[in-house]
Amino acid sequence: MPSFRLNDDLRNRLYILGMVSAFLVLWEMATRGKFINTFYASQPTVIASDFYHFVTSGEILPHLLTTLQEALFGLFFGTIAGIICGVALGKTKRLADLFEPVITALYGIPKLALAPIFILWFGLGMESKIFLSSLLVFYLVFFSTYSGIRNIDPDIIATVLLMGANRRQIFFKVTLPSCVPWVLTGIRGGIGASLIGAIVGEYMGASAGLGWMIQYATTTYQIERVMSCILTLLLIGLVLNKGLRMCEKRLLRWRPDNF
């Protein structure tokens, strides 16, 4: 019943809030009791004060916008490329035989280790960060889409063919809807990957961005500012995941609520 669902959701949120609150209280007590050195971990009250100043002063805005642009463009381009390649290889066995081993082999190369090369190719501007983010997102979305296409039940396609459907109808009415959950799973992982790509790119070379701010704060021993930037990234991830869940509910209206 809806009332029980609401109670379950509220109970889960209260559990999460309680665990987070308990962790912060223990952290604060440990720092005040000198069990944790504030030089390395700061303390929640100091971080909250710095985060408040970081936001209200407007200092966060240029760094937040820079990182968001890099991550969102990387998420967009990586998702589009991953879906196209995943569908193409999933639907065409010859393409899969030719390119799947190559893509799998390239996936084994540490992408973050290639960041200096991307900066050399594209410069210190936003392009290198977007390319790195796109590449990290691409593999996650590609493998999810490819697996979704390859795991469609052939009996369903055979049944639709017997009902007189043509290939175009099968693709848009069966194939794509069936692999949407797989694609969304890849995008969910891609959200974090896009942020990682943007932050690492800013580590390598930038003049703005949350990654640049973290590096700068680290070199000047401002641990509370580092934590404030990490908190900002956490909030960005939560907001983007919430937006994705809303899209998922809209796209998967056919799926039972308790799935």
Side-chain angles (χ1 to χ4, degrees), residues 9 19-20 33 39-40 96 108 135 141 155 171 190 208:
D9 292 341
M19 288 188 293
V20 173
F39 180 80
Y40 299 105
L135 192 62
V141 177
D155 292 336
F171 180 74

Side-chain angles (χ1 to χ4, degrees), residues 121-137:
W121 290 349
F122 300 102
L124 293 174
M126 194 174 291
E127 293 80 4
S128 58
K129 288 77 172 178
I130 292 174
F131 185 82
L132 180 57
S133 293
S134 301
L135 192 62
L136 293 176
V137 173

Side-chain angles (χ1 to χ4, degrees), residues 58-79:
E59 186 181 356
I60 191 176
L61 194 58
H63 304 292
L64 178 62
L65 292 178
T66 298
T67 300
L68 272 178
Q69 288 182 66
E70 295 163 354
L72 291 178
F73 275 118
L75 182 64
F76 175 77
F77 291 125
T79 297

Side-chain angles (χ1 to χ4, degrees), residues 8-248:
D8 289 341
D9 292 341
L10 181 59
R11 188 182 300 111
N12 290 335
R13 291 176 183 178
L14 289 175
Y15 283 150
I16 294 172
L17 180 61
M19 288 188 293
V20 173
S21 300
F23 172 75
L24 293 176
V25 169
L26 290 174
W27 183 2
E28 183 75 22
M29 292 174 61
T31 54
R32 291 181 183 272
K34 307 301 182 183
F35 295 106
I36 296 179
N37 191 338
T38 56
F39 180 80
Y40 299 105
S42 189
Q43 58 190 101
T45 52
V46 176
I47 295 170
S49 176
D50 181 78
F51 181 74
Y52 177 79
H53 175 74
F54 194 30
V55 173
T56 56
S57 66
E59 186 181 356
I60 191 176
L61 194 58
H63 304 292
L64 178 62
L65 292 178
T66 298
T67 300
L68 272 178
Q69 288 182 66
E70 295 163 354
L72 291 178
F73 275 118
L75 182 64
F76 175 77
F77 291 125
T79 297
I80 296 299
I83 291 174
I84 291 174
C85 292
V87 171
L89 270 64
K91 293 290 292 181
T92 308
K93 187 177 184 303
R94 182 167 180 79
L95 287 178
D97 293 339
L98 288 174
F99 292 104
E100 184 191 2
V102 177
I103 293 176
T104 303
L106 292 175
Y107 180 66
I109 300 175
K111 312 303 175 300
L112 303 184
L114 298 175
I117 298 178
F118 300 151
I119 291 176
L120 183 63
W121 290 349
F122 300 102
L124 293 174
M126 194 174 291
E127 293 80 4
S128 58
K129 288 77 172 178
I130 292 174
F131 185 82
L132 180 57
S133 293
S134 301
L135 192 62
L136 293 176
V137 173
F138 166 79
Y139 283 103
L140 294 173
V141 177
F142 165 77
F143 285 119
S144 293
T145 305
Y146 179 72
S147 298
I149 296 290
R150 296 298 294 267
N151 281 280
I152 295 175
D153 190 346
D155 292 336
I156 296 177
I157 296 178
T159 302
V160 176
L161 283 171
L162 289 174
M163 295 172 66
N166 55 39
R167 292 187 177 277
R168 182 176 179 276
Q169 291 172 324
I170 291 173
F171 180 74
F172 286 102
K173 299 295 184 180
V174 178
T175 303
L176 284 184
S178 296
C179 70
V180 164
W182 295 78
V183 174
L184 291 175
T185 299
I187 296 175
R188 183 171 290 110
I191 290 174
S194 65
L195 289 171
I196 291 173
I199 295 301
V200 171
E202 290 168 359
Y203 280 168
M204 295 298 176
S207 58
L210 293 174
W212 175 86
M213 175 57 72
I214 291 173
Q215 185 183 48
Y216 173 79
T218 302
T219 57
T220 54
Y221 304 103
Q222 300 178 56
I223 187 63
E224 64 279 355
R225 180 52 55 88
V226 174
M227 293 296 185
S228 294
C229 292
I230 293 174
L231 177 59
T232 303
L233 291 170
L234 173 65
L235 295 175
I236 292 173
L238 289 174
V239 170
L240 292 178
N241 272 288
K242 181 65 175 178
L244 182 62
R245 286 190 177 277
M246 294 172 63
C247 294
E248 184 177 6

